[in-house]
Amino acid sequence: MTRHDEDTLEVMAREALRLFREKYERGTPSPEDALSLAEEAVRWFLTSVQNGTGYLRDAITLIAEMTVSEAPGIQRTAVNALFQGLIEPLNDSFDPAAADHSDQIMAQVIDSQRHREGMASFHKRLQHFGILSESDLLDRRSRVVSQAAPVDPLRLRKVLILSRVTIGADVAVTSVIAAHLRAFSPGAEIVLVGPEKLSELFGGDSGLRFRKVGYQRGGRLTERLDAWMQLVDLVSSEGAGLAADEFLVVDPDSRMTQLGLLPVTLDEESYAFFDSRRFAAAQDNALAETAAQWAATRWPGRQGTSMSRPFVSPSSSTAVGSEVMSAFGIGGARTVVFMSLGVGGNERKRVSSLFEELLVRALAFEATLIIDKGASGAERAQVGRILEGLANDGRSVVEAGEGLHRIRGDSLPDIVTWQGGIGSFTGLVRAADFYVGYDSAGQHIAAALGRPTLTVFVNSSTPRFAQRWRPTGSTHSRVLSLTPEGVARESTENLVSKALALFRELQMAVEPTTAA
């Protein structure tokens, strides 16, 4: 990109900001105008980043001002542009330079928010931590990444580990750090802090305590920042009466602190930050392995060179897998495959409806399937369409839910669908012989449980993203790694054939003597 092109992007961003302000002074811009301006701001900014040129400050100012619009549609458009359009793609690259841009964006947005009407409490809280400017946020973050105050495992009494918010990341990262710290300091109380699903996922472990802080991934920007203020209050109450060397807060790049930008304690010797986007950037390890490496480096102990692995321990429904098998007469000599077609709300991870239908049909000839119905209405509708086709073909389908009640179907099933919470999801994965699903929370749960796992990974980011997020555990796994371009170019039948070939590889790896 030439200097002229760079200047052109700056001019366009500046003009778009002027246009938005002008429209806002005359009244609320239409949602269509706001969407167009936001999409252009994202495109200009990413183009500038990709070409190694300047930081388009006006583009970020435009999006930041849109986030406080009184029109919900405009506000939602701006928040999506900020997080889904900019923050997530930049961080998903696991490129240090892109992560720098992400942090700079959020520092600018946070600093702009503190001066808005209704944000006086937020502003005062930042002042309490000595954060007076955008540069203070970035300087503090750089400082805590490099600091490594020694920790005496015999003195440590309590450890707060902040949630990454998403289930998959909490399995792949948070659980690994928790396992390491428990081995490092067996006498310390381990407290996991975050959404309620943490207790569902790990509540069966009597050695863990849970404190709830809600973080709305789909919420307004002010709601996300309010979660940080709740977190600060919680950290203060948990640390009351403890000396600096008796208390530790671990931040594994949590969304609640906007990936380490927002402080949670004045005593930063009691704070440890895992910079997951930059740590061991040149290595191709999975994120769980990277987290284990960081923890072992940060708190070397007597456990030798062994690295902690992801784990799950659901609070309830741990027996649901065997109960389902017994209630519906499945298992035994016939292979059981648990399938999840959920993508955690990220449609970019999905191949297509036809791919899912053909893959389910093919696997149904080889195994009894338990299919999770999904978390959203769209996911449940898609599973319903697949089941309807299979039922019309004469396959026996049972729909079931919590309490083992049958919603539909009475005969010995070829396929069971399940609708329930994360505890029963985990119990069913544990009871199955194999797990098949998209890159989402399910693959990390399955790998942590030691279930052989086939992941369909549609990677719209960089190759490093797929390397980082591959499932990790004491099991065999296979990954069908695709790109959006590859999905568009190749026939669905070929993609299904590739998935089935990997599934058979997985079977061979698990049962070599049977296969022979």
Side-chain angles (χ1 to χ4, degrees):
M1 177 178 282
T2 65
R3 179 65 202 175
H4 172 73
D5 294 328
E6 181 183 337
D7 290 342
T8 300
L9 287 177
E10 290 178 351
V11 169
M12 289 192 295
R14 189 179 308 120
E15 177 60 18
L17 176 59
R18 185 199 64 78
L19 181 62
F20 175 75
R21 287 172 171 172
E22 182 180 285
K23 287 178 176 287
Y24 211 82
E25 286 176 3
R26 296 202 305 260
T28 302
S30 71
E32 294 76 18
D33 284 345
L35 178 61
S36 176
L37 287 171
E39 288 178 341
E40 287 178 335
V42 167
R43 179 167 52 83
W44 296 331
F45 189 93
L46 292 179
T47 298
S48 182
V49 166
Q50 289 161 3
N51 288 280
T53 53
Y55 178 88
L56 293 187
R57 191 172 188 83
D58 284 340
I60 304 307
T61 300
L62 169 61
I63 293 172
E65 292 190 5
M66 289 173 64
T67 65
V68 295
S69 169
E70 294 178 1
I74 294 177
Q75 191 176 104
R76 196 161 45 245
T77 291
V79 172
N80 289 341
L82 175 61
F83 287 99
Q84 297 176 15
L86 289 173
I87 299 300
E88 291 177 12
L90 289 169
N91 291 319
D92 284 350
S93 69
F94 287 92
D95 174 71
D100 288 345
H101 283 298
S102 171
D103 289 340
Q104 189 172 358
I105 290 170
M106 280 310 302
Q108 180 183 341
V109 170
I110 289 168
D111 193 57
S112 71
Q113 291 294 313
R114 71 189 301 175
H115 302 295
R116 304 292 183 193
E117 185 178 352
M119 297 296 285
S121 295
F122 180 71
H123 176 62
K124 288 179 181 177
R125 189 61 61 91
L126 287 174
Q127 287 182 315
H128 172 73
F129 285 106
I131 304 295
L132 305 179
S133 67
E134 181 180 330
S135 61
D136 286 342
L137 286 163
L138 294 169
D139 290 345
R140 176 204 156 269
R141 192 199 170 285
S142 296
R143 185 174 66 252
V144 298
V145 167
S146 58
Q147 76 179 18
V151 175
D152 182 349
L154 299 179
R155 287 277 301 165
L156 194 59
R157 292 176 56 189
K158 185 185 293 187
V159 179
L160 302 189
I161 305 177
L162 309 186
S163 169
R164 293 266 307 212
V165 174
T166 61
I167 293 174
D170 276 332
V171 175
V173 177
T174 310
S175 77
V176 170
I177 295 172
H180 180 88
L181 280 165
R182 182 149 52 186
F184 172 76
S185 182
E189 180 185 27
I190 307 293
V191 184
L192 300 187
V193 181
E196 191 170 354
K197 286 193 175 182
L198 276 177
S199 60
E200 295 181 49
L201 197 59
F202 301 108
D205 189 327
S206 60
L208 299 174
R209 184 160 64 85
F210 304 89
R211 291 295 306 272
K212 181 182 175 182
V213 173
Y215 182 90
Q216 300 297 323
R217 288 178 61 201
R220 296 175 296 174
L221 181 57
T222 51
E223 292 173 330
R224 301 179 194 223
L225 297 178
D226 182 64
W228 166 70
M229 292 199 290
Q230 295 176 43
L231 176 62
V232 170
D233 290 338
L234 185 150
V235 170
S236 177
S237 68
E238 287 285 344
L242 295 175
D245 61 350
E246 295 176 324
F247 183 62
L248 180 65
V249 181
V250 183
D251 181 351
D253 240 359
S254 174
R255 294 174 189 244
M256 294 188 292
T257 63
Q258 297 307 321
L259 310 186
L261 278 173
L262 293 167
V264 293
T265 176
L266 286 170
D267 192 345
E268 291 184 341
E269 288 192 356
S270 299
Y271 175 85
F273 178 69
F274 172 41
D275 191 356
S276 68
R277 296 160 292 156
R278 298 177 182 86
F279 183 80
Q283 299 178 12
D284 294 333
N285 292 338
L287 197 52
E289 296 165 336
T290 304
Q293 181 183 349
W294 173 78
T297 302
R298 182 68 178 76
W299 303 290
R302 293 177 296 179
Q303 63 268 36
T305 58
S306 62
M307 293 288 185
S308 299
R309 286 177 170 167
F311 73 92
V312 293
S313 181
S315 58
S316 61
S317 303
T318 53
V320 73
S322 58
E323 290 172 355
V324 167
M325 301 290 184
S326 175
F328 301 135
I330 61 178
R334 187 162 168 80
T335 298
V336 176
V337 176
F338 185 95
M339 294 189 71
S340 172
L341 303 178
V343 291
N346 186 352
E347 290 299 312
R348 292 175 297 178
K349 294 182 177 183
R350 190 180 299 283
V351 177
S352 69
S353 298
L354 179 59
F355 171 85
E356 294 163 9
E357 179 181 352
L358 294 179
L359 183 59
V360 169
R361 284 177 175 274
L363 288 175
F365 280 105
E366 303 186 19
T368 299
L369 305 184
I370 302 175
I371 304 179
D372 181 64
K373 294 197 75 172
S376 69
E379 289 175 354
R380 289 190 287 272
Q382 166 62 1
V383 171
R385 285 190 291 269
I386 294 173
L387 295 179
E388 185 176 356
L390 289 165
N392 290 338
D393 290 344
R395 307 308 294 268
S396 172
V397 177
V398 167
E399 296 187 64
E402 301 281 9
L404 301 181
H405 62 279
R406 291 177 184 243
I407 300 171
R408 184 182 75 179
D410 294 313
S411 60
L412 187 67
D414 299 311
I415 298 149
V416 174
T417 69
W418 186 263
Q419 187 169 341
I422 194 65
S424 61
F425 180 102
T426 303
L428 285 165
V429 172
R430 189 197 302 272
D433 298 304
F434 296 90
Y435 174 88
V436 176
Y438 285 117
D439 163 45
S440 196
Q443 66 161 340
H444 298 291
I445 291 173
L449 291 170
R451 295 298 84 199
T453 302
L454 170 61
T455 302
V456 180
F457 207 124
V458 182
N459 181 16
S460 57
S461 188
T462 63
R464 181 58 54 80
F465 178 78
Q467 292 165 345
R468 286 286 189 260
W469 283 109
R470 66 182 184 269
T472 305
S474 57
T475 185
H476 295 279
S477 66
R478 296 291 185 274
V479 177
L480 176 59
S481 187
L482 306 170
T483 64
E485 296 76 19
V487 169
R489 184 173 58 248
E490 198 162 355
S491 73
T492 303
E493 291 75 11
N494 282 348
L495 295 176
V496 172
S497 295
K498 288 182 176 181
L500 291 173
L502 288 173
F503 180 73
R504 293 185 183 112
E505 273 187 30
L506 201 57
Q507 289 178 304
M508 293 277 286
V510 173
E511 302 170 346
T513 55
T514 303

